[in-house]
Amino acid sequence: MDVPALSTRLWVLVVVTGVLAGLAGSALMLLLEATSALAYAHRSGDLLTAVEEAGPGRRVLVLAAAGVLAGAGWWLLARWTGPGGSEVSTALWRDQGRLPMRRSLGTAFLSTVIVGMGASLGREAAPRLAGAALASRLSDRAGIDTAHRRLLAACGAGAGMACVYNVPLGGALLTLEVMLGVLSLRLALPALAACCVATGVSWIVLPTGPTYQLPEVPLSGSLTVFALVIGPLAGLAAVGWVRMIRVAHRHRPTGRGLLIAPALVFTGVGLLAIPYPELLGNGKDIVDLALGAQLAVPAVLVLLLLKPLVTAGSLGSGASGGLFTPTIVVGALLGALAGRGWAQVWDAPAAGFAVLGAAAVLAAAMQAPLAAVVLMLELTRTTDALTVPLILAVTGAILVSRALDTPSLYSVRLPAQ
């Protein structure tokens, strides 16, 4: 894209975008927590504990209700708001940075509610969409040109994600590598500013610690060599994951089919959650278990098979949600599984295996190596011991995925021209 000039007026708009994205992201995360508390009758603790305590019957009923709500909600939203999509990638690359406000905020609201009820989708889609939509409306009010509108919308999307995960630098790099496709100092400065402002605003109500708590991982020759092995394997896994999402997205129902498909798919997910409650939600609890080596090998194998399937199925049913944490889940489980075998020959901390797998799959799936490395370092708040192995694993994954001509996880969701 053309790199627009940065005027004083645009800097004011960037700061306002960061504030709006931070407020929106905070409100949506409070909504998500309130929905989970209501759905599973819990006040504190993680979603997995609440789901396990709620019992099998409640899991199925809540997921079935989420499916009915998703289908009816998006069908009505499409009828009430008229034409126009609500995908950030489509808006940035096809629609000159324009997003319909009512459709986007309605989609963000519904996405947050169904994820709070246990839908197997990421939570980041809603704050990304809300931040981009608010930036788009702000651009229209300010009367700025197309290049600046696209930049501001991308900054809003990155800021929305940065604030809910507390990853200002990672959010800025995601804005550049994934949403704009350009690494430029002139673009980096507003992206960083918006993400930092949004993250600071979110600290008023959201946690300020790392998303994933890691035990201490010392410098390890074993992890460094393991990174060279897991990188190519993660690249292959990412290729399969992206292709699965492409198929699911292309077969999303339209019209009255949207009323039926989510209810059927979500009820099926609820039934699978009877023996495997870990499947519910965006997958953060699975990553925590993988980092702590709390999953037996058979459980890792089953979750590595089922979690991508239920996530792709949920997306393919017509529901709207994110893929960020589900992608991390795929990598963490792959790393944990490979690490179990590796540790029989050359021992290393289990958390390191999972983090390397997660970063490598994330990088190859997003086609964003720099963002993936920084995001994993920010999400875990580790730097010294894992930086070099992370870079090696990500490099191997990217080389394999690009050799197989794999697009980004986000570009495969663009509508056909």
Side-chain angles (χ1 to χ4, degrees), residues 25-45:
S26 300
L28 288 168
M29 291 306 99
L30 292 176
L31 173 64
L32 183 128
E33 293 174 4
T35 302
S36 294
L38 180 63
Y40 296 103
H42 76 107
R43 297 298 177 189
S44 60

Side-chain angles (χ1 to χ4, degrees), residues 308-330:
L309 288 175
V310 298
T311 300
S314 299
L315 182 69
S317 74
S320 178
L323 296 171
F324 178 69
T325 300
T327 301
I328 291 177
V329 170
V330 174

Side-chain angles (χ1 to χ4, degrees), residues 10 77 109 114 129 151 176-177 208 245 249 265 344 347 361 363 369 378 394:
L10 183 67
L77 192 63
F109 176 86
I114 67 166
L129 181 56
L151 172 59
L176 299 172
E177 276 194 292
T208 59
I245 293 301
H249 190 73
V265 171
Q344 302 303 312
D347 194 26
V361 171
E378 283 189 306
V394 163

Side-chain angles (χ1 to χ4, degrees), residues 379-393:
L379 288 169
T380 59
R381 301 285 172 85
T382 58
T383 52
D384 294 342
L386 288 177
T387 301
V388 171
L390 275 174
I391 294 172
L392 292 174

Side-chain angles (χ1 to χ4, degrees), residues 67-391:
V68 171
L69 176 63
W74 275 301
W75 184 76
L76 291 172
L77 192 63
R79 286 176 61 88
W80 288 342
T81 59
S86 54
E87 286 279 354
V88 174
S89 298
T90 304
L92 292 175
W93 292 101
R94 302 280 177 84
D95 298 332
Q96 301 179 330
R98 286 192 171 91
L99 280 156
M101 179 63 73
R102 287 188 299 168
R103 171 73 71 86
S104 298
L105 294 185
T107 295
F109 176 86
L110 283 171
S111 178
T112 300
V113 169
I114 67 166
V115 172
M117 295 175 76
S120 182
L121 292 165
R123 62 175 181 159
E124 86 285 351
R128 283 178 64 244
L129 181 56
L134 290 168
S136 176
R137 176 58 61 89
L138 184 64
S139 300
D140 290 339
R141 292 288 180 86
I144 60 178
D145 59 34
T146 298
H148 288 95
R149 185 193 304 108
R150 286 186 65 210
L151 172 59
L152 206 62
C155 288
M161 179 166 174
C163 73
V164 300
Y165 285 102
N166 199 19
V167 289
L169 182 55
L173 284 171
L174 197 72
T175 300
L176 299 172
E177 276 194 292
V178 175
M179 299 178 204
L180 295 174
V182 175
L183 287 174
S184 162
L185 179 61
R186 184 177 287 181
L187 296 179
L189 294 176
L192 282 168
C195 290
C196 287
V197 169
T199 303
V201 169
S202 73
W203 287 343
I204 299 172
V205 295
L206 298 183
T208 59
T211 299
Y212 301 110
Q213 299 284 347
L214 257 67
E216 184 178 353
V217 180
L219 290 169
S220 169
S222 175
L223 285 178
T224 303
V225 179
F226 176 77
L228 299 174
V229 176
I230 195 62
L233 294 176
L236 291 174
V239 171
W241 172 233
V242 170
R243 291 178 179 176
M244 185 184 297
I245 293 301
R246 177 164 51 193
V247 171
H249 190 73
R250 287 179 177 176
H251 290 85
R252 287 163 66 90
T254 57
R256 295 188 181 276
L258 188 56
L259 289 168
I260 302 171
L264 294 176
V265 171
F266 280 39
T267 301
V269 174
L271 291 170
L272 286 172
I274 293 176
Y276 301 106
E278 299 91 346
L279 293 175
L280 298 189
N282 66 352
K284 178 184 180 298
D285 295 321
I286 296 178
V287 178
D288 286 333
L289 293 172
L291 292 173
Q294 299 176 56
L295 291 169
V297 171
V300 173
L301 286 169
V302 170
L303 291 174
L304 186 56
L305 172 66
L306 290 182
K307 186 61 176 178
L309 288 175
V310 298
T311 300
S314 299
L315 182 69
S317 74
S320 178
L323 296 171
F324 178 69
T325 300
T327 301
I328 291 177
V329 170
V330 174
L333 289 173
L334 178 66
L337 183 62
R340 292 291 179 90
W342 185 268
Q344 302 303 312
V345 179
W346 194 355
D347 194 26
F353 296 131
V355 170
L356 293 182
V361 171
L362 185 66
M366 296 192 308
Q367 290 296 300
L370 292 179
V373 170
V374 172
L375 281 166
M376 288 309 301
L377 292 176
E378 283 189 306
L379 288 169
T380 59
R381 301 285 172 85
T382 58
T383 52
D384 294 342
L386 288 177
T387 301
V388 171
L390 275 174
I391 294 172

